[in-house]
Amino acid sequence: DVSAPILATAREGLYDQPRLTEVPAPVLRKYFREEAGRYRLIDRIRGMVRFERHNIMTAEPFPAVDLILCRNVLIYFSRAEQERILLNFSNALAASGVLVLGRSEVLVGEMRTLFLSEFPIERIYRRKGSEPAAVEPLQGP
């Protein structure tokens, strides 16, 4: 994310109960601890996640990752910008890494060749191949 305050909140891993209504009870008991009516994700799981500040519109390379959550962001960019962003995502994802988009977002153009659709309704994709994409990235601002 580009927002330092949002990243700080995410690092806390602390959720109000209504945010966890779809989490199965066994998962909630195993991976969360109650704290004053809220639930904190256990340290072991939080420690598996790296939260970094990054602007998807810069030419800076993305760090290597296993999962990218980019929900309801691409809709604000032009098609050319979306293609550049998705190419950068593909290059950053580990082989078989996962990309999650928002329900109103789709893979555009050649980007459809870089990902396999795992759960189309939820817009969950898996990166194809083990090598970085052969598509030339579009130049950013």
Side-chain angles (χ1 to χ4, degrees):
D1 202 291
V2 72
S3 169
I6 294 294
L7 288 169
T9 299
R11 281 185 193 99
E12 286 294 311
L14 190 59
Y15 302 92
D16 293 325
Q17 202 285 325
R19 301 281 301 197
L20 302 172
T21 56
E22 294 186 29
V23 175
V27 172
L28 192 65
R29 283 190 301 274
K30 184 173 182 177
Y31 296 110
F32 291 84
R33 298 295 171 254
E34 188 173 354
E35 291 183 12
R38 300 175 81 193
Y39 292 85
R40 185 179 306 275
L41 190 61
I42 63 173
D43 290 342
R44 181 173 60 84
I45 302 300
R46 284 192 358 240
M48 294 176 175
V49 179
R50 187 177 72 219
F51 295 94
E52 292 189 20
R53 189 166 189 259
H54 191 86
N55 182 342
I56 62 174
M57 291 306 294
T58 66
E60 271 181 61
F62 281 68
V65 294
D66 297 309
L67 169 69
I68 296 175
L69 302 171
C70 185
R71 295 179 49 86
N72 304 315
V73 173
L74 295 178
I75 57 176
Y76 297 103
F77 296 101
S78 71
R79 183 177 172 134
E81 291 167 331
Q82 289 176 15
E83 288 180 359
R84 182 172 57 82
I85 292 164
L86 289 166
L87 177 62
N88 287 338
F89 286 171
S90 174
N91 288 332
L93 280 169
S96 298
V98 175
L99 170 64
V100 181
L101 300 178
R103 282 192 172 190
S104 61
E105 297 168 318
V106 294
L107 295 177
V108 295
E110 253 186 279
M111 300 307 106
R112 290 183 292 237
T113 66
L114 302 177
F115 297 92
L116 296 169
S117 179
E118 291 284 328
F119 300 98
I121 292 172
E122 295 298 331
R123 304 296 197 263
I124 300 174
Y125 303 94
R126 188 168 300 280
R127 182 184 181 277
K128 285 184 186 178
S130 58
E131 298 298 320
V135 179
E136 281 298 312
L138 300 171
Q139 294 304 309

